[in-house]
Amino acid sequence: MASSTVALRAGSLASFQVVERSASQTGRSAPCCSRALALKSSASSFAAPASFGVAASKRNGVMMMAAAAAEAPKPRKGAKGEIDESLLTPRFYTTDFDEMEQLFNKEINPNLNDEEFVSLLQEFAADYNQTHFVRSSEFKAAADKLEGPTRKIFVEFLERSCTAEFSGFLLYKELGRRLKKTNPVIAEIFTLMSRDEARHAGFLNKALSDFNLALDLGFLTKTRKYTFFKPKFIFYATYLSEKIGYWRYITIYRHLKENPDKQLYPIFKKFENWCQDENRHGDFFSALLKSTPQFLNDWKAKLWSRFFCLSVYVTMYLNDTQRTGFYESIGLNTRDFDMHVIIETNRTTARIFPAVLDVENPKFQQGLDRLCILNEKLLSIKRSGGNQFVQNVKLIPVIAGFASELLGLFLMRPVEAGSTDMGSSFEPSLTY
């Protein structure tokens, strides 16, 4: 579903720290997480209202990681157990599975379209990419040629992308298991999507071996923190994550096809077919949203839709502009690339969300650029060290300015959108 720092997914869910709990602090079984659209930044993390999440231990049907071990687990020998932790790091998510079961129970929800979901299941079962993720000696040879800062940033890209894909695998697998009796068709789709995510994560982790590294994904499963999200927020954020992931992958693929001299590592050659997995996943979440019209048809849905769009777009922009070296290494202008992805994702999202942001208004990018400046000030203050009290005092006006800019972007005149029939004639229009 999106990127982290330089991971190609924009870790949208991760921009919110709602309820986090280390697996080692719980005694429950069954991991769950959602993917990261790569949204995380010391300044770009939005504070979510308390209603977003409730402590998992107080919610029925909320499944958390099994952990119970007298000693903290250790990564297997020769493998890396963690990537550098920050608000920019892809995170794992848990949700209320009892509510999920009610949403997909045909006796409770009359809006479920069996014909559409069966058709989607046939698409996933076809497994078009079954033989796509095949490596060659070209991978290792290309990795050996990368040196210095370029090599370092490629490793970071692979680590974060792998973590994001693995997070999607865990969420989808658990949903497939929990919904098997309630709705076998939807459960099987989630299971097949977990297959896709596992394939992506494994391919990325194998790529890390070209750089003499590997992530211990089993260790990550046992030690990562989990954030609780209500089902409807899982739907909004994961839909955006998958669609923004599609536009990031396909944009990079097309750029490198036209500029083969910038093809520094062959993983990018896989992106044309890879992005179709993201697109199919997004289409499935679009169908889920259509089957739950209560998440689309009132003023609260419009506010939440804009909120999630803003969180995804802002955090991706901040993430990427902090790490322009990755995009420059493959010949892309970071800001131009991000705005193209944001605009295309917003146009796609307008087909299902009841309202989206007016990202094509020049004032929107101007606001993003001002946020980048403020974000750099925040990071600079935090890096300066010294007296913590003095540092906090210096942060106050910068954080206030950051919040003001975010509010200004959120309050920009939105684009009225949304169409549950997904008709080809749909065109969004500005709300006056």
Side-chain angles (χ1 to χ4, degrees), residues 11-80:
S12 72
L13 298 180
S15 61
F16 311 95
Q17 276 192 303
V18 186
V19 175
E20 293 189 341
R21 179 167 303 216
S22 171
S24 59
Q25 294 174 326
T26 74
R28 304 189 180 186
S29 61
C32 165
C33 55
S34 173
R35 78 183 308 154
L37 272 160
L39 299 176
K40 305 111 192 186
S41 155
S42 57
S44 62
S45 172
F46 295 174
S51 61
F52 246 49
V54 182
S57 61
K58 298 180 181 179
R59 292 294 300 259
N60 292 328
V62 176
M63 306 295 289
M64 296 294 286
M65 260 305 303
E71 297 181 4
K74 297 179 180 180
R76 68 176 185 271
K77 187 176 181 180
K80 187 175 180 180

Side-chain angles (χ1 to χ4, degrees), residues 254-405:
R254 290 170 178 169
H255 164 74
L256 293 176
K257 187 176 181 180
E258 294 177 359
N259 301 274
D261 58 308
K262 297 296 184 180
Q263 186 78 253
L264 301 184
Y265 188 66
I267 199 168
F268 302 119
K269 296 179 181 179
K270 303 293 183 180
F271 280 6
E272 183 179 31
N273 286 30
W274 192 333
C275 76
Q276 296 306 324
D277 284 344
E278 317 302 322
N279 204 32
R280 278 187 288 272
H281 295 184
D283 289 345
F284 172 61
F285 275 96
S286 176
L288 292 184
L289 283 166
K290 287 191 290 180
S291 72
T292 50
Q294 67 271 29
F295 299 158
L296 297 173
N297 61 9
D298 62 12
W299 64 271
K300 289 185 291 184
K302 291 183 178 183
L303 290 178
W304 283 122
S305 295
R306 290 161 55 196
F307 177 79
F308 274 91
C309 284
L310 183 63
S311 72
V312 170
Y313 303 158
V314 166
T315 313
M316 183 185 77
Y317 199 85
L318 294 178
N319 282 333
D320 291 350
T321 52
Q322 284 183 59
R323 293 162 177 85
T324 58
F326 173 77
Y327 301 97
E328 290 174 355
S329 71
I330 57 175
L332 283 169
N333 178 290
T334 307
R335 282 176 163 80
D336 291 347
F337 166 74
D338 272 20
M339 283 310 301
H340 170 75
V341 170
I342 287 171
I343 288 170
E344 294 298 338
T345 301
N346 203 61
R347 289 174 178 174
T348 302
T349 302
R351 298 173 187 166
I352 186 65
F353 278 25
V356 294
L357 305 174
D358 184 13
V359 300
E360 297 180 56
N361 185 329
K363 292 182 180 179
F364 186 81
Q365 185 173 8
Q366 292 168 11
L368 292 180
D369 288 334
R370 288 193 294 271
L371 285 171
C372 287
I373 295 171
L374 290 166
N375 191 47
E376 186 53 43
K377 289 181 179 179
L378 282 171
L379 295 174
S380 178
I381 292 171
K382 290 186 176 182
R383 287 192 296 259
S384 65
N387 184 279
Q388 187 63 48
F389 175 78
V390 174
Q391 190 178 93
N392 290 340
V393 170
K394 290 180 179 179
L395 285 171
I396 291 173
V398 184
I399 293 174
F402 197 95
S404 177
E405 289 292 345

